[in-house]
Amino acid sequence: MREFFLNVSRYPRYLVAFTLGVMNSVAEPLAARRSNPVTAVALIGALISGGISLTLVLRAMVNSTPMA
């Protein structure tokens, strides 16, 4: 039974490591392009747009009544 719990305890660590690796591989090229003002404005706009979209999707998933 101990081996089972050791095996299961590896999965959250793998998930964290995988997530950090993906975020690093996405953020590194974007950080190199932030010195250009046009690109910086586009990145900020993309982040705001993504946040709004995520909020609206999650709100629609949680609320059972239609918004319109």
Side-chain angles (χ1 to χ4, degrees), residues 4 17-19 25 27 31 34 36 38-39 45 50 62 64:
F4 172 75
F18 178 78
T19 304
S25 67
R34 71 177 179 202
N36 186 355
V38 176
T39 307
V62 172
S64 61

Side-chain angles (χ1 to χ4, degrees), residues 15-60:
L15 179 64
V16 169
F18 178 78
T19 304
L20 289 175
V22 168
M23 288 178 10
N24 185 37
S25 67
V26 169
E28 191 172 320
L30 293 178
R33 292 178 174 83
R34 71 177 179 202
S35 61
N36 186 355
V38 176
T39 307
V41 170
L43 289 175
I44 291 170
L47 287 173
I48 292 172
S49 175
I52 291 171
S53 297
L54 182 65
T55 302
L56 291 174
V57 167
L58 291 175
R59 188 178 298 168

Side-chain angles (χ1 to χ4, degrees), residues 3 5-15:
E3 290 180 27
F5 287 116
L6 284 174
N7 192 22
V8 169
S9 71
R10 291 185 189 135
Y11 288 109
R13 289 185 284 175
Y14 173 75
L15 179 64

